[in-house]
Amino acid sequence: DRIMPEHETTTWYGDGGSTKSMTAGVVALCCALGIGVGPFAPTKQVVPLVIDYETTADEHAERLQAICAGLEVQVPHIMYREQIRPVADDIQQIRRQVQRVGAGLVIVDSIAPACGGAPEEAEVILRYFNALRTLPCTRLNIAHVNRHDRTRPNGNDAPFGSIFTMNLSRSVWKVRRAETSPAANMIDVGMYHRKNNNGPRERPLGLRYIFEEGATLVRPLDVMKDVDLATGASLADRLRIALARGALTTKELADETGAKEPTIRTTLGRMGDVQKMASEPGGRDRWGLKAA
């Protein structure tokens, strides 16, 4: 529930190849099995329905079989719908399928082909989201990132298309794949909470995929301990990383994070888990974590 609010619409976005679809498949397995995997822990067991515009039933099944082999479990019942028509044009049939099987989670992969037009146009996205809202279950959208935002790792980006994709989603997460991994058969992934209508944003989540012969292992990962993935975290979280090594001045924190000192002082003032340890000349106070 902290990742996808029940009976609401959540959107995940990221570059192609960031493992969005694979990670959504892990969530579908969690919900179908009613078990926690990696950083994901469902609040209830439900039947998922995957509406797929990007791959095929065979590829979808092969991916799930590999993850289940890594979990050493049988492949659960996951409804799959290889889709071509836009969601809004086919919503009556989709809604009937959801009601017939009692689906509790619908995953749409991905918004661009599912919306039936240019995702940049407000009317197209509004029609898509309005249709999606008629489904009596939790909804998860998969989206890509705006091409002009790919070089901005620290949160100054958004799902591709109209601003209404962000506005109409109750929860929004960015999915980012690490540039490097500890081994050739591993992929490290960070997830960053960009929006939450129902409370404060969650701390970053991380997971590691380990690819073995015929099996995909999924493990939790501490994003804040990964130098590459930590750059995608919020300024507050990056300040926590720096302060975990000991108290620092605002000048030292600016050197660590690349942010300006006034911005750092404002952010520190809003963080309940830090405190001013000492006053330094020139207003460059020394700050530390309260726990430390």
Side-chain angles (χ1 to χ4, degrees):
D1 188 58
R2 60 190 288 264
I3 298 173
M4 296 185 300
E6 190 175 9
H7 296 137
E8 300 282 6
T9 300
T10 294
T11 296
W12 292 0
Y13 71 100
D15 279 328
S18 61
T19 77
K20 300 183 300 295
S21 298
M22 183 180 295
T23 305
V26 172
V27 165
L29 282 172
C30 287
C31 292
L33 294 167
I35 64 172
V37 179
F40 307 120
T43 56
K44 62 174 62 174
Q45 187 174 4
V46 298
V47 175
L49 167 63
V50 177
I51 301 176
D52 191 356
Y53 287 85
E54 297 199 355
T55 60
T56 63
D58 288 343
E59 184 175 344
H60 170 78
E62 184 177 342
R63 180 188 298 155
L64 292 182
Q65 287 169 359
I67 298 172
C68 286
L71 293 172
E72 299 182 346
V73 298
Q74 295 293 321
V75 178
H77 179 57
I78 295 178
M79 299 297 298
Y80 178 83
R81 186 182 180 97
E82 191 172 328
Q83 188 80 8
I84 297 175
R85 296 184 66 200
V87 162
D89 292 347
D90 217 18
I91 194 61
Q92 291 185 2
Q93 290 79 4
I94 294 172
R95 188 164 57 247
R96 279 198 291 267
Q97 184 176 8
V98 167
Q99 293 169 335
R100 184 174 69 252
V101 303
L105 170 66
V106 168
I107 299 173
V108 181
D109 191 5
S110 61
I111 288 180
C115 70
E120 304 94 324
E121 296 181 8
E123 289 184 3
V124 171
I125 289 298
L126 289 171
R127 182 170 182 259
Y128 168 77
F129 271 86
N130 286 337
L132 209 61
R133 276 176 58 85
T134 68
L135 299 180
C137 59
T138 303
R139 288 87 58 182
L140 173 61
N141 290 315
I142 306 300
H144 294 87
V145 69
N146 277 323
R147 60 183 179 276
H148 300 302
D149 295 332
R150 288 176 179 161
T151 59
R152 302 174 179 177
N154 297 325
N156 298 316
D157 51 25
F160 177 72
S162 167
I163 188 62
F164 285 107
T165 300
M166 195 81 167
N167 292 347
L168 297 178
S169 301
R170 301 298 87 188
S171 181
V172 178
W173 290 78
K174 179 178 180 180
V175 182
R176 180 169 172 257
R177 176 176 174 170
E179 296 294 331
T180 59
S181 298
N185 69 327
M186 295 182 183
I187 295 177
D188 289 346
V189 180
M191 295 182 63
Y192 312 92
H193 209 186
R194 297 307 193 214
K195 178 190 176 184
N196 184 12
N197 273 63
N198 302 323
R201 287 185 289 180
E202 299 289 342
R203 298 288 297 276
L205 302 175
L207 61 160
R208 171 174 289 170
Y209 291 108
I210 305 171
F211 300 94
E212 297 183 348
E213 187 66 33
T216 301
L217 309 181
V218 185
R219 299 288 184 265
L221 177 72
D222 189 344
V223 169
M224 309 315 293
K225 292 182 179 179
D226 185 294
V227 175
D228 181 9
L229 293 177
T231 60
S234 66
L235 176 57
D237 282 329
R238 286 183 283 134
L239 291 172
R240 289 187 184 96
I241 297 173
L243 293 174
R245 300 192 299 271
L248 296 170
T249 65
T250 51
K251 171 63 168 61
E252 291 168 334
L253 289 169
D255 293 338
E256 285 266 352
T257 63
K260 297 183 182 299
E261 285 190 67
T263 303
I264 288 175
R265 281 192 287 270
T266 299
T267 303
L268 289 170
R270 295 172 177 169
M271 294 169 61
D273 56 345
V274 301
Q275 62 184 354
K276 190 183 297 184
M277 309 295 288
S279 295
E280 301 284 341
R284 289 174 174 171
D285 301 321
R286 186 172 294 274
W287 294 77
L289 294 175
K290 286 183 178 179

